[in-house]
Amino acid sequence: MAFSIASRPHYHSNKSIGNIMMRVILCTFPGISTLCYFFGWGVLVQLSLASITSLLAEAIVITIRRRPVKRYLQDHSALLTGLLIGISVPPFTPWWIVVIGSLFAIIIAKHLYGGLGNNPFNPAMVAYVVLLISFPVQMTIWLPPSSLLIQPLTFMDSVSTIFTGLNTGGFSVNQLRLTADGFTMATPLDTVKSALIAGKTETEAVLEPVFDTFWGLDWGWINFAFLLGGLMLLKQKIIKWQIPIGILATLFIFSAIGYTVSPDTVTSPLLHLFSGATMLGAFFIATDPVSAATTSKGRLVFGMIIGTLIYLIRTLGGFPDGVAFAVLIANMCVPLIDYYTKPIVYGYRKEKNDPRNEK
């Protein structure tokens, strides 16, 4: 029997990489459905655009590398990358930005390092950060929930806005952002951060129309839907519990401490957990088996680092969210984390100055 050596991810089960990736994709459906409910057809258009571009880029690169295209496409890793990019961008981001991000994720962040199993960073998050830094205006324009829009957007409105910048009625994205009350809206995290910078309290910030409950009109339900999908992944043993628990517990502890010390100047713990990309990041992004820590203790440390960085970026940084930056910074630490958390070889004793511990 031939024994082949390959790059991670390695799974101790009879499931193929393609089967596992497809299960992850299916578990994103609750979150995707909720996104579509609140933000309309634009979400599906972006998902389709990012997925098709990612699959085409994967096929082209694999052909250039003279590898079997069908076999590599069937691992569904490119499809998952495209879906994560489509989920992350605002629903009415111009089409060419999504295409650039998808191409960058597959060609640069993935295959430049050797393909699946060799990339040190999560490709979707690399692409998202590149787009956020390069096109900050387009990447931060989120429309209000469909229920608050002056006029509901049809499928053709969404397609026209994404590909031409104007809907079928000739309105731009900024005009479409107007609610029935005549003002534009931002995401809950952005609303609170802007209010705190302006000298308002957290209590005053949550009086804005974007909030109908403690977690916001739309993003709370979206995060709850991704939480359900994440629990499905845990139940199927597709991911380990250490990373999501490490992220969520650390984020909750730090935000609870900050909120207890100064409730008027920081964001509440529940808003941290159920806003932005918290649940998506904890269950679907940080748990990437290629770029995450591999040891049991290491995964917990990895999650705690991400949770800490998310809180620091949201509280002290210039961006209202911070999941993508936190994940990429933690990816840099993975070799060090794995080195210092590797289990002791069976039969060896952990003794001080024992030279066997260096083997």
Side-chain angles (χ1 to χ4, degrees):
M1 180 182 293
F3 181 78
S4 60
I5 299 176
S7 301
R8 61 180 183 175
H10 304 296
Y11 286 94
H12 300 283
S13 70
N14 58 356
K15 300 183 183 70
S16 66
I17 297 298
N19 181 279
I20 291 171
M21 292 291 182
M22 182 53 66
R23 288 171 182 248
V24 175
I25 290 171
L26 293 175
C27 288
T28 63
F29 281 9
I32 290 174
S33 301
T34 311
L35 270 170
C36 293
Y37 175 79
F38 283 108
F39 294 109
W41 291 104
V43 176
L44 289 181
V45 176
Q46 300 291 21
L47 288 170
S48 301
L49 183 59
S51 300
I52 292 172
T53 304
S54 297
L55 289 172
L56 288 176
E58 180 91 348
I60 292 171
V61 174
I62 291 301
T63 301
I64 294 174
R65 296 179 63 186
R66 298 181 180 179
R67 304 288 178 85
V69 176
K70 182 178 179 181
R71 173 188 169 190
Y72 278 81
L73 289 181
Q74 286 178 339
D75 66 18
H76 304 305
S77 60
L79 178 59
L80 179 58
T81 298
L83 284 177
L84 292 177
I85 293 173
I87 292 171
S88 302
V89 300
F92 291 97
T93 303
W95 67 271
W96 51 271
I97 291 181
V98 179
V99 170
I100 290 174
S102 302
L103 292 175
F104 194 94
I106 299 298
I107 299 174
I108 305 299
K110 181 180 179 182
H111 283 288
L112 186 65
Y113 292 96
L116 180 65
N118 297 292
N119 49 287
F121 304 101
N122 185 294
M125 291 301 96
V126 172
Y128 176 79
V129 168
V130 168
L131 294 179
L132 184 61
I133 294 175
S134 303
F135 312 104
V137 176
Q138 294 89 338
M139 287 293 292
T140 53
I141 295 180
W142 286 85
L143 266 67
S146 300
S147 60
L148 295 182
L149 290 175
I150 296 176
Q151 180 178 354
L153 298 175
T154 65
F155 175 76
M156 291 308 301
D157 282 326
S158 301
V159 173
S160 178
T161 303
I162 291 171
F163 285 93
T164 68
L166 302 173
N167 73 343
T168 55
F171 293 100
S172 66
V173 176
N174 284 329
Q175 290 172 317
L176 292 174
R177 292 181 69 200
L178 290 175
T179 67
D181 294 324
F183 55 86
T184 58
M185 295 180 66
T187 62
L189 282 175
D190 197 14
T191 299
V192 172
K193 192 174 187 68
S194 299
L196 294 177
I197 292 175
K200 297 181 180 179
T201 65
E202 199 259 356
T203 303
E204 293 173 330
V206 298
L207 295 177
E208 297 290 336
V210 71
F211 296 94
D212 67 337
T213 63
F214 63 87
W215 58 14
L217 182 61
D218 45 12
W219 285 102
W221 293 110
I222 292 169
N223 273 272
F224 185 74
F226 279 115
L227 172 60
L228 291 179
L231 294 177
M232 292 165 58
L233 290 177
L234 288 173
K235 183 178 180 180
Q236 298 178 67
K237 298 183 179 180
I238 302 299
I239 62 175
K240 303 290 186 180
W241 62 268
Q242 289 94 337
I243 293 177
I245 292 299
I247 293 174
L248 299 179
T250 303
L251 181 59
F252 178 81
I253 291 171
F254 275 106
S255 57
I257 293 173
Y259 195 69
T260 301
V261 174
S262 182
D264 290 334
T265 60
V266 296
T267 307
S268 66
L270 288 176
L271 187 57
H272 270 293
L273 292 178
F274 289 95
S275 288
T278 303
M279 296 299 172
L280 175 66
F283 290 98
F284 294 93
I285 295 174
T287 54
D288 173 27
V290 178
S291 56
T294 57
T295 65
S296 296
K297 292 181 180 178
R299 283 191 288 265
L300 190 59
V301 173
F302 181 76
M304 293 169 65
I305 291 174
I306 294 175
T308 303
L309 290 172
I310 291 174
Y311 178 74
L312 291 176
I313 293 171
R314 288 179 176 179
T315 305
L316 304 176
F319 292 93
D321 208 337
V323 172
F325 292 99
V327 170
L328 294 180
I329 294 172
N331 287 158
M332 298 179 190
C333 304
V334 165
L336 191 65
I337 294 172
D338 282 346
Y339 179 81
Y340 282 104
T341 59
K342 61 184 177 181
I344 302 171
V345 178
Y346 180 76
Y348 278 41
R349 292 180 300 174
K350 188 176 181 180
E351 296 179 359
K352 188 177 181 180
N353 299 326
D354 188 341
R356 293 175 297 177
N357 292 332
E358 301 298 326
K359 294 181 180 180

